[in-house]
Amino acid sequence: MRVLGINAIFHDPSAALVIDGRVVAAAEEERFSRRKHGKRPVPFSAWELPELSAAWCLEAAGLTPGDLDAVAYSFDPALCGDLSHSDPWDHLRVDYARRAPQFLATALPGLDPEQVRFVPHHVAHAASAGLSVASPNAVLVLDGRGESASHLAGAYRDGQLEIFKSQELPHSLGLLYEDLTRHLGFMHSSDEYKVMALASYGKPKFVGLLRELVHANDDGGFTIERIDWDALAKARSADGEMTEAYADLASSVQVRLEEVLLDLARWTYEASGGLPTLTMAGGTALNCVANARIAAEGPFERVWVQPAAGDAGTALGAALSLGGEHVPFGTAALGRGWSDDELEAELKRAAVPYTRPQSIAHEAATVLAGNGIVAWYQGRSEYGPRALGHRSLLAHPGDQHTQTRMNDVKGREQFRPIAPMVRAERFHDLFDGVFPSPYMLFVHRVKPDWRDRIPAVTHVDGTARVQTVHTDTEPLVAEMLAEFERQTGLPVVVNTSLNTAGRPMVDTPREALELFGSAPVDLLAIGPFAVHRRS
């Protein structure tokens, strides 16, 4: 069965192709259009489809639109119901969704509109996680909103989803965090991760009040009363000073979010009959601080989070949902890639001097050991918001100034942390927490003996968002890490996304060369080739 999944309705439009129980390709539209998040999350943009990523998915498999058995669209307009609590223009979003089969047939010539199937938004989220690991498993979905709800709790058994509870709007933990993001002067549906980082610098001074206004219910749902944000801290402008009061507000909401998520996880565990594995998806599941707390304090033996947990992942989930079978998630490297010959042709076209060292991993490790910054461009690009060793900026973790340097290179706020990657076999020597962590979706405690040795990746609260690197799945990255440790004695390398502020992650070789030419990067490691910065 050949199913193309489509996410288009809110933000982060994306496409994913599943053929006979195998994920062949998946990518966000932003990697093609170069527009961050693909579009803005407003009703007027609901008609915009992931035309470029969908066309690429089909091209990668050698298919035409007419070859598809189905197209799974991750929103079902029939479930929208009463829109009185929504954006006053939300009826446009619903109308566009109803017309999606015709829009898709126009965008993908040869597609029969009758092949388009509507998949409920939170069912698509649930499938992206629950069908990616062996069942049975419990599943918890939380985000801003779907058709008329903001949450789903359930369980997968034999590929079938049983829904225990769905929290109706307007109550939404995702929208709560979005409101805070906007109040703090950041862009909602985009910058929530900045609020999570900021929270570590504050104290939860307002958590007592928030416990009265935001709480889990006995039925597995939750209630959110109106919050007067201005009474807690005046709204910050986008370029306003970041004060302690804003950090305290962020900390308070973050702590209360974690507490409510723990309550919901415990309820889901009991409702599932004590299943040992919890799978998670939805934008709220990208909150790696909350995820770590659920794993540490919740009742589940294992917590697995879909790497593309945000709306981009619903393209994959919608496709999996139609198939209704377990499809193991083996890698997030599901996007575009280029052969060595194609990469060399790009280097020649750009007329830049380059070499082909005996080992690009050793070449990169040597530059890193000398405190250089490396643009690491290898294999297929990642599906989801995390750079996982395919489109990464790498640096030395032992220099206390590395965080400032990297944030300067990327043009972003200095309170933003940078993360470490470590070979799996060295993880327990340096960190405590969820293991394995190949997708960078949990925070971990840095062991005291190592905090001064790797200050660049140790956040202000003593944590780090670790990516564990496994030799069997990421042999080149593991080789680079081993060589860096041989040269420096440090088993960790800084890893952040290969982009600059406000731009999507680099996807093509040309984009990698453009970033290298415009940012203070010392080495571009592109496939087996090395492009060094001229002194």
Side-chain angles (χ1 to χ4, degrees):
M1 187 173 183
R2 293 161 292 193
V3 183
L4 179 68
I6 295 290
N7 167 58
I9 197 69
F10 293 116
H11 51 83
D12 295 291
S14 58
L17 182 64
V18 178
I19 300 177
D20 296 332
R22 184 171 67 92
V23 183
V24 174
E28 293 103 318
E29 187 73 0
E30 69 166 22
R31 309 293 174 85
F32 299 80
S33 69
R34 308 310 298 162
R35 183 182 179 191
K36 187 72 171 172
H37 296 297
K39 61 180 180 180
R40 290 302 301 140
V42 294
F44 301 97
S45 72
W47 64 272
E48 297 182 44
L49 295 168
E51 297 183 31
L52 300 174
S53 52
W56 171 76
C57 285
L58 294 175
E59 179 187 347
L63 300 178
T64 68
D67 296 325
L68 293 168
D69 295 302
V71 173
Y73 186 86
S74 64
F75 187 87
D76 186 350
L79 301 179
C80 288
D82 179 18
L83 299 177
S84 61
H85 52 71
S86 303
D87 185 300
W89 290 100
D90 212 35
H91 63 279
L92 279 181
R93 180 181 281 129
V94 177
D95 190 43
Y96 288 146
R98 290 194 185 104
R99 299 169 188 265
Q102 288 72 38
F103 287 144
L104 284 163
T106 300
L108 300 171
L111 175 69
D112 181 353
E114 295 298 318
Q115 296 286 73
V116 179
R117 304 283 186 271
F118 293 116
V119 177
H121 188 70
H122 290 122
V123 171
H125 269 308
S128 76
L131 291 178
S132 292
V133 302
S135 63
N137 61 74
V139 62
L140 187 59
V141 172
L142 291 121
D143 63 1
R145 59 163 295 188
E147 294 86 357
S148 61
S150 68
H151 150 272
L152 179 152
Y156 274 97
R157 290 182 174 88
D158 299 322
Q160 299 301 309
L161 173 64
E162 178 187 1
I163 299 175
F164 305 144
K165 175 66 181 179
S166 184
Q167 177 58 57
E168 294 297 305
L169 294 169
H171 305 283
S172 169
L173 290 168
L175 292 181
L176 170 72
Y177 218 84
E178 283 191 21
D179 287 346
L180 173 65
T181 300
R182 186 186 299 106
H183 189 76
L184 294 178
F186 301 121
M187 185 178 294
H188 75 93
S189 297
S190 173
D191 293 345
E192 283 72 21
Y193 59 95
K194 297 182 183 181
V195 177
M196 183 182 68
L198 179 64
S200 298
Y201 289 87
K203 295 181 173 58
K205 293 182 177 179
F206 308 110
V207 74
L209 173 63
L210 291 173
R211 284 174 179 145
E212 298 176 9
L213 300 176
V214 181
H215 56 83
N217 301 329
D218 292 339
D219 64 355
F222 50 87
T223 298
I224 299 176
E225 307 289 354
R226 181 183 174 277
I227 297 173
D228 184 353
W229 297 110
D230 284 323
L232 304 178
K234 291 184 178 180
R236 173 181 170 269
S237 62
D239 57 354
E241 180 185 1
M242 187 59 70
T243 66
E244 184 178 305
Y246 297 128
D248 290 343
L249 182 54
S251 176
S252 301
V253 174
Q254 175 66 33
V255 168
R256 188 55 188 147
L257 173 70
E258 295 166 19
E259 293 173 345
V260 174
L261 290 181
L262 266 171
D263 287 339
L264 297 176
R266 290 170 179 140
W267 186 93
T268 303
Y269 177 78
E270 295 297 331
S272 73
L275 291 176
T277 298
L278 174 67
T279 58
M280 296 178 62
T284 305
L286 291 171
N287 192 305
C288 55
V289 178
N291 294 345
R293 192 164 174 192
I294 291 171
E297 301 178 35
F300 293 93
E301 296 175 17
R302 180 192 181 202
V303 177
W304 190 88
V305 181
Q306 163 58 236
D311 273 8
T314 64
L316 174 60
L320 293 177
S321 180
L322 287 193
E325 61 181 314
H326 168 228
V327 178
F329 194 94
T331 178
L334 296 167
R336 287 187 290 181
W338 279 260
S339 68
D340 291 352
D341 288 345
E342 289 170 326
L343 293 175
E344 188 165 23
E346 278 294 318
L347 293 171
K348 289 178 177 178
R349 182 202 60 78
V352 295
Y354 66 92
T355 61
R356 184 168 186 159
Q358 184 175 357
S359 169
I360 191 64
H362 286 220
E363 189 89 355
T366 299
V367 171
L368 291 168
N371 210 18
I373 295 176
V374 173
W376 180 262
Y377 183 99
Q378 303 293 334
R380 295 176 67 175
S381 59
E382 297 93 341
Y383 180 46
R386 304 281 190 253
L388 301 169
H390 293 253
R391 303 291 186 270
S392 292
L393 273 174
L394 310 177
H396 198 301
D399 183 348
Q400 63 179 343
H401 302 297
T402 294
Q403 180 180 356
T404 299
R405 286 176 65 204
M406 294 293 270
N407 283 331
D408 284 345
V409 167
K410 291 170 69 72
R412 65 185 199 177
E413 301 88 349
Q414 286 299 335
F415 66 80
R416 301 267 299 278
I418 49 179
M421 52 168 51
V422 61
R423 284 182 298 145
E425 56 266 37
R426 294 289 274 127
F427 170 85
H428 294 291
D429 297 326
L430 287 80
F431 305 104
D432 290 315
V434 175
F435 177 86
S437 181
Y439 305 122
M440 209 179 280
L441 289 164
F442 301 89
V443 296
H444 303 78
R445 302 299 301 179
V446 182
K447 291 187 175 181
D449 291 347
W450 280 94
R451 292 176 186 173
D452 290 338
R453 297 185 65 185
I454 52 172
V457 296
T458 302
H459 198 31
V460 64
D461 59 358
T463 66
R465 190 182 67 198
V466 178
Q467 178 194 356
T468 55
V469 174
H470 303 257
T471 304
D472 58 338
T473 55
E474 297 290 349
L476 190 65
V477 178
E479 181 185 351
M480 178 271 296
L481 287 167
E483 177 61 18
F484 181 77
E485 182 174 11
R486 188 189 70 78
Q487 294 189 35
T488 66
L490 299 176
V492 163
V493 163
V494 171
N495 172 32
T496 188
S497 55
L498 186 58
N499 66 331
T500 53
R503 295 180 174 87
M505 252 190 285
V506 160
D507 203 66
T508 69
R510 179 173 294 195
E511 291 154 12
L513 284 162
E514 289 172 349
L515 185 145
F516 179 74
S518 62
V521 174
D522 300 289
L523 170 69
L524 171 60
I526 181 167
F529 306 105
V531 183
H532 286 270
R533 173 76 59 197
R534 290 179 173 179
S535 57

